[in-house]
């Protein structure tokens, strides 16, 4: 991926003349952060994250890819992953998501359920989204939204029932703390707006892409950490033995 295009907020080339747009802060704000997170979900989900039982997850992975699971039906009207997408028809939801990131109208996308593909025909451009194309799109979307695959932590094997009960409770407590301490988009905007060395007008923050916003936020935090660490390192009252990585290295795209 061209890191310069990514940093400058330009659409990322995908396939057959199609590009993946980089949504702006204003666009995400208008649609709602929750809805945006739902749009990102198909590109960070994993089979391990979908199936709590490790043996079941291994069995599913031996038979299906994540993309194939979008098409898997449990009866005549419902798909296996409908519940993951708020009860909506999984294929219709994926079509909506594809239209958003490829910046095309939903009507240009046809669901080929039996072939497990999406066919796109838009202004003379033709594209088929199959397993391979979806994985490529997945990599691009993860980059532009600064996300990675959902990680799953499973309990150690051979635990007693009491040990497992304690482990489950500790995990639940950790998740509550993480949710409580999580930085929402409004927090990040506020820091980029007025928390850096230079004031950035709010309208300019709103015109940033999501990647630019996250990068600006990360740069501010990295430089602040660098200044704090150097302050300790140069002080006679403190003994800081670890090397302090220069903030410029943390700014790498």
């Amino acid at each position: 991926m061209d890191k310069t295009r990514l940093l400058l907020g330009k659409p990322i080339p995908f396939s057959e003349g199609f590009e993946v747009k980089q949504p702006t802060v204003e666009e995400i704000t208008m649609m709602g952060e929750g809805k945006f997170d739902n749009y990102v979900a198909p590109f960070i989900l994993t089979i391990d994250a979908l199936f709590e039982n490790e043996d079941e997850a291994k069995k599913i992975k031996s038979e299906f890819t994540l993309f194939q699971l979008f098409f898997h039906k449990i009866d005549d009207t419902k798909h296996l992953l409908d519940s993951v997408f708020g009860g909506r028809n999984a294929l219709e939801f994926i079509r909506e998501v594809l239209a958003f990131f490829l910046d095309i109208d939903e009507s240009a996308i046809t669901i080929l359920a039996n072939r497990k593909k999406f066919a796109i025909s838009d202004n003379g451009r033709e594209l088929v989204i199959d397993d391979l194309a979806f994985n490529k799109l997945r990599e691009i979307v993860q980059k532009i939204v600064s996300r990675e695959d959902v990680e799953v932590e499973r309990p150690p094997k051979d635990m007693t029932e009491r040990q497992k009960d304690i482990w489950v409770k500790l995990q639940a407590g950790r998740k509550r703390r993480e949710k409580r301490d999580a930085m929402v988009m409004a927090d990040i905007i506020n820091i980029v707006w007025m928390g850096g060395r230079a004031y950035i007008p709010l309208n300019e923050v709103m015109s940033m892409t999501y990647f630019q916003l996250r990068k600006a936020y990360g740069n501010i935090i990295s430089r602040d950490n660098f200044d704090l660490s150097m302050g300790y390192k140069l002080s006679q009252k403190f003994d800081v033995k670890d090397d302090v990585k220069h903030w410029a290295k943390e700014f790498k795209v």
Side-chain angles (χ1 to χ4, degrees):
M1 183 184 298
D2 189 328
K3 292 183 178 181
T4 303
R5 290 183 68 96
L6 183 65
L7 184 62
L8 295 180
K10 302 299 183 183
I12 306 301
F14 175 46
S15 181
E16 306 294 335
F18 287 87
E19 296 178 319
V20 181
K21 76 172 180 180
Q22 295 200 55
T24 64
V25 173
E26 182 171 15
E27 185 176 9
I28 296 168
T29 301
M30 296 305 294
M31 72 186 296
E33 190 175 357
K35 184 175 181 180
F36 178 68
D37 285 341
N38 288 338
Y39 276 9
V40 172
F43 303 102
I44 61 175
L45 279 175
T46 64
I47 291 177
D48 284 323
L50 288 170
F51 296 91
E52 184 175 333
N53 183 281
E54 186 175 3
D55 292 334
E56 183 180 11
K58 286 182 178 178
K59 183 177 185 301
I60 294 294
K61 284 192 290 186
S62 69
E63 299 176 3
F64 303 97
T65 64
L66 178 66
F67 183 73
Q68 290 169 348
L69 281 183
F70 295 148
F71 296 85
H72 193 69
K73 301 186 75 171
I74 55 177
D75 60 35
D76 291 339
T77 60
K78 296 181 180 179
H79 295 83
L80 179 66
L81 299 187
D82 286 355
S83 60
V84 176
F85 304 122
R88 291 192 54 186
N89 180 291
L91 294 183
E92 292 179 1
F93 178 74
I94 297 299
R95 176 169 59 187
E96 183 179 320
V97 170
L98 290 174
F100 174 77
F101 281 107
L102 295 177
D103 201 18
I104 58 177
D105 194 274
E106 277 187 63
S107 62
I109 305 175
T110 301
I111 300 171
L112 306 177
N114 292 333
R115 295 173 58 189
K116 294 182 172 57
K117 296 178 181 179
F118 293 89
I120 301 176
S121 180
D122 181 70
N123 294 323
R125 300 175 298 169
E126 305 289 335
L127 177 65
V128 172
I129 302 293
D130 55 11
D131 229 319
L132 188 62
F134 180 78
N135 285 337
K136 180 180 178 181
L137 181 60
R138 178 185 176 89
E139 292 178 5
I140 295 174
V141 171
Q142 285 194 6
K143 288 291 185 182
I144 66 177
V145 299
S146 304
R147 309 277 180 92
E148 297 178 345
D149 286 351
V150 175
E151 292 186 0
V152 179
E153 188 172 353
R154 301 192 186 280
K157 294 182 177 180
D158 301 323
M159 296 177 75
T160 66
E161 285 301 316
R162 176 170 173 74
Q163 288 173 328
K164 188 172 183 179
D165 182 60
I166 293 173
W167 185 88
V168 169
K169 289 177 179 177
L170 288 173
Q171 290 295 106
R174 191 185 74 178
K175 287 180 180 179
R176 285 194 297 269
R177 287 193 300 274
E178 288 176 350
K179 185 175 182 180
R180 181 191 64 214
D181 298 337
M183 296 287 289
V184 297
M185 193 166 171
D187 299 323
I188 297 173
I189 290 172
N190 195 33
I191 290 173
V192 172
W193 175 25
M194 293 188 293
R197 294 188 176 184
Y199 169 80
I200 302 178
L202 196 54
N203 65 319
E204 291 187 17
V205 177
M206 294 296 286
S207 67
M208 289 180 176
T209 65
Y210 187 81
F211 178 86
Q212 290 170 337
L213 178 74
R214 295 290 308 199
K215 195 64 185 172
Y217 166 73
N219 290 348
I220 290 171
I221 299 302
S222 294
R223 178 173 273 172
D224 186 61
N225 288 339
F226 173 81
D227 290 343
L228 183 63
S229 298
M230 285 301 295
Y232 278 115
K233 200 172 183 69
L234 297 174
S235 172
Q236 295 179 353
K237 296 181 180 180
F238 296 92
D239 180 20
V240 180
K241 296 180 180 179
D242 294 336
D243 290 335
V244 180
K245 185 183 291 186
H246 194 274
W247 56 264
K249 293 183 179 179
E250 297 293 338
F251 278 29
K252 288 179 66 64
V253 180

PDB file of all heavy atoms in Angstrom, residues 174-186:
ATOM      1  N   ARG A 174     -11.688  -7.207  33.586  1.00  0.00           N
ATOM      2  CA  ARG A 174     -10.750  -6.516  32.708  1.00  0.00           C
ATOM      3  C   ARG A 174     -11.479  -5.845  31.543  1.00  0.00           C
ATOM      4  O   ARG A 174     -11.161  -4.712  31.173  1.00  0.00           O
ATOM      5  CB  ARG A 174      -9.713  -7.499  32.167  1.00  0.00           C
ATOM      6  CG  ARG A 174      -8.538  -6.813  31.464  1.00  0.00           C
ATOM      7  CD  ARG A 174      -7.602  -7.815  30.847  1.00  0.00           C
ATOM      8  NE  ARG A 174      -8.191  -8.402  29.644  1.00  0.00           N
ATOM      9  CZ  ARG A 174      -7.563  -9.285  28.868  1.00  0.00           C
ATOM     10  NH1 ARG A 174      -6.354  -9.701  29.189  1.00  0.00           N
ATOM     11  NH2 ARG A 174      -8.139  -9.761  27.791  1.00  0.00           N
ATOM     12  N   LYS A 175     -12.465  -6.544  30.988  1.00  0.00           N
ATOM     13  CA  LYS A 175     -13.224  -5.970  29.866  1.00  0.00           C
ATOM     14  C   LYS A 175     -14.019  -4.749  30.305  1.00  0.00           C
ATOM     15  O   LYS A 175     -14.159  -3.781  29.550  1.00  0.00           O
ATOM     16  CB  LYS A 175     -14.150  -7.039  29.278  1.00  0.00           C
ATOM     17  CG  LYS A 175     -13.412  -8.106  28.487  1.00  0.00           C
ATOM     18  CD  LYS A 175     -14.372  -9.148  27.931  1.00  0.00           C
ATOM     19  CE  LYS A 175     -13.613 -10.210  27.140  1.00  0.00           C
ATOM     20  NZ  LYS A 175     -14.521 -11.256  26.601  1.00  0.00           N
ATOM     21  N   ARG A 176     -14.549  -4.795  31.542  1.00  0.00           N
ATOM     22  CA  ARG A 176     -15.281  -3.626  32.042  1.00  0.00           C
ATOM     23  C   ARG A 176     -14.351  -2.428  32.188  1.00  0.00           C
ATOM     24  O   ARG A 176     -14.709  -1.298  31.847  1.00  0.00           O
ATOM     25  CB  ARG A 176     -15.941  -3.951  33.381  1.00  0.00           C
ATOM     26  CG  ARG A 176     -17.171  -4.831  33.281  1.00  0.00           C
ATOM     27  CD  ARG A 176     -17.958  -4.824  34.583  1.00  0.00           C
ATOM     28  NE  ARG A 176     -17.184  -5.372  35.694  1.00  0.00           N
ATOM     29  CZ  ARG A 176     -17.196  -6.658  36.026  1.00  0.00           C
ATOM     30  NH1 ARG A 176     -17.933  -7.526  35.332  1.00  0.00           N
ATOM     31  NH2 ARG A 176     -16.488  -7.094  37.058  1.00  0.00           N
ATOM     32  N   ARG A 177     -13.136  -2.681  32.684  1.00  0.00           N
ATOM     33  CA  ARG A 177     -12.167  -1.593  32.840  1.00  0.00           C
ATOM     34  C   ARG A 177     -11.757  -1.039  31.476  1.00  0.00           C
ATOM     35  O   ARG A 177     -11.629   0.179  31.302  1.00  0.00           O
ATOM     36  CB  ARG A 177     -10.927  -2.082  33.593  1.00  0.00           C
ATOM     37  CG  ARG A 177     -11.148  -2.322  35.079  1.00  0.00           C
ATOM     38  CD  ARG A 177      -9.824  -2.495  35.809  1.00  0.00           C
ATOM     39  NE  ARG A 177      -9.050  -3.615  35.297  1.00  0.00           N
ATOM     40  CZ  ARG A 177      -9.195  -4.872  35.716  1.00  0.00           C
ATOM     41  NH1 ARG A 177     -10.101  -5.172  36.635  1.00  0.00           N
ATOM     42  NH2 ARG A 177      -8.437  -5.835  35.209  1.00  0.00           N
ATOM     43  N   GLU A 178     -11.526  -1.942  30.528  1.00  0.00           N
ATOM     44  CA  GLU A 178     -11.132  -1.507  29.193  1.00  0.00           C
ATOM     45  C   GLU A 178     -12.223  -0.665  28.546  1.00  0.00           C
ATOM     46  O   GLU A 178     -11.941   0.350  27.904  1.00  0.00           O
ATOM     47  CB  GLU A 178     -10.812  -2.724  28.316  1.00  0.00           C
ATOM     48  CG  GLU A 178      -9.508  -3.425  28.692  1.00  0.00           C
ATOM     49  CD  GLU A 178      -9.269  -4.675  27.862  1.00  0.00           C
ATOM     50  OE1 GLU A 178     -10.206  -5.100  27.144  1.00  0.00           O
ATOM     51  OE2 GLU A 178      -8.154  -5.229  27.923  1.00  0.00           O
ATOM     52  N   LYS A 179     -13.473  -1.079  28.732  1.00  0.00           N
ATOM     53  CA  LYS A 179     -14.600  -0.327  28.169  1.00  0.00           C
ATOM     54  C   LYS A 179     -14.715   1.032  28.832  1.00  0.00           C
ATOM     55  O   LYS A 179     -14.976   2.045  28.178  1.00  0.00           O
ATOM     56  CB  LYS A 179     -15.896  -1.123  28.349  1.00  0.00           C
ATOM     57  CG  LYS A 179     -17.101  -0.488  27.681  1.00  0.00           C
ATOM     58  CD  LYS A 179     -18.325  -1.370  27.794  1.00  0.00           C
ATOM     59  CE  LYS A 179     -19.518  -0.738  27.082  1.00  0.00           C
ATOM     60  NZ  LYS A 179     -20.728  -1.601  27.178  1.00  0.00           N
ATOM     61  N   ARG A 180     -14.505   1.054  30.153  1.00  0.00           N
ATOM     62  CA  ARG A 180     -14.606   2.311  30.896  1.00  0.00           C
ATOM     63  C   ARG A 180     -13.499   3.285  30.507  1.00  0.00           C
ATOM     64  O   ARG A 180     -13.711   4.494  30.410  1.00  0.00           O
ATOM     65  CB  ARG A 180     -14.521   2.015  32.397  1.00  0.00           C
ATOM     66  CG  ARG A 180     -14.637   3.242  33.310  1.00  0.00           C
ATOM     67  CD  ARG A 180     -14.273   2.862  34.722  1.00  0.00           C
ATOM     68  NE  ARG A 180     -12.877   2.449  34.829  1.00  0.00           N
ATOM     69  CZ  ARG A 180     -12.436   1.520  35.667  1.00  0.00           C
ATOM     70  NH1 ARG A 180     -13.273   0.876  36.470  1.00  0.00           N
ATOM     71  NH2 ARG A 180     -11.147   1.214  35.712  1.00  0.00           N
ATOM     72  N   ASP A 181     -12.289   2.754  30.268  1.00  0.00           N
ATOM     73  CA  ASP A 181     -11.123   3.602  29.992  1.00  0.00           C
ATOM     74  C   ASP A 181     -10.901   3.854  28.506  1.00  0.00           C
ATOM     75  O   ASP A 181      -9.976   4.593  28.143  1.00  0.00           O
ATOM     76  CB  ASP A 181      -9.862   2.957  30.579  1.00  0.00           C
ATOM     77  CG  ASP A 181      -9.936   2.816  32.093  1.00  0.00           C
ATOM     78  OD1 ASP A 181     -10.703   3.571  32.724  1.00  0.00           O
ATOM     79  OD2 ASP A 181      -9.240   1.931  32.638  1.00  0.00           O
ATOM     80  N   ALA A 182     -11.721   3.239  27.657  1.00  0.00           N
ATOM     81  CA  ALA A 182     -11.509   3.356  26.209  1.00  0.00           C
ATOM     82  C   ALA A 182     -11.665   4.804  25.741  1.00  0.00           C
ATOM     83  O   ALA A 182     -12.507   5.554  26.246  1.00  0.00           O
ATOM     84  CB  ALA A 182     -12.493   2.456  25.467  1.00  0.00           C
ATOM     85  N   MET A 183     -10.817   5.193  24.787  1.00  0.00           N
ATOM     86  CA  MET A 183     -10.902   6.523  24.185  1.00  0.00           C
ATOM     87  C   MET A 183     -11.912   6.484  23.046  1.00  0.00           C
ATOM     88  O   MET A 183     -11.716   5.771  22.056  1.00  0.00           O
ATOM     89  CB  MET A 183      -9.535   6.931  23.643  1.00  0.00           C
ATOM     90  CG  MET A 183      -8.455   7.077  24.690  1.00  0.00           C
ATOM     91  SD  MET A 183      -8.667   8.557  25.681  1.00  0.00           S
ATOM     92  CE  MET A 183      -8.236   9.812  24.486  1.00  0.00           C
ATOM     93  N   VAL A 184     -12.998   7.216  23.196  1.00  0.00           N
ATOM     94  CA  VAL A 184     -13.972   7.303  22.113  1.00  0.00           C
ATOM     95  C   VAL A 184     -13.520   8.396  21.153  1.00  0.00           C
ATOM     96  O   VAL A 184     -12.592   9.167  21.426  1.00  0.00           O
ATOM     97  CB  VAL A 184     -15.388   7.598  22.649  1.00  0.00           C
ATOM     98  CG1 VAL A 184     -15.864   6.467  23.542  1.00  0.00           C
ATOM     99  CG2 VAL A 184     -15.442   8.922  23.394  1.00  0.00           C
ATOM    100  N   MET A 185     -14.182   8.486  20.032  1.00  0.00           N
ATOM    101  CA  MET A 185     -13.755   9.413  18.987  1.00  0.00           C
ATOM    102  C   MET A 185     -13.786  10.861  19.473  1.00  0.00           C
ATOM    103  O   MET A 185     -12.908  11.657  19.121  1.00  0.00           O
ATOM    104  CB  MET A 185     -14.650   9.237  17.766  1.00  0.00           C
ATOM    105  CG  MET A 185     -14.116   9.902  16.517  1.00  0.00           C
ATOM    106  SD  MET A 185     -14.990   9.301  15.071  1.00  0.00           S
ATOM    107  CE  MET A 185     -14.358  10.407  13.836  1.00  0.00           C
ATOM    108  N   ALA A 186     -14.773  11.208  20.294  1.00  0.00           N
ATOM    109  CA  ALA A 186     -14.846  12.578  20.811  1.00  0.00           C
ATOM    110  C   ALA A 186     -13.611  12.927  21.634  1.00  0.00           C
ATOM    111  O   ALA A 186     -13.116  14.060  21.574  1.00  0.00           O
ATOM    112  CB  ALA A 186     -16.113  12.746  21.656  1.00  0.00           C
TER     113      ALA A 186
END
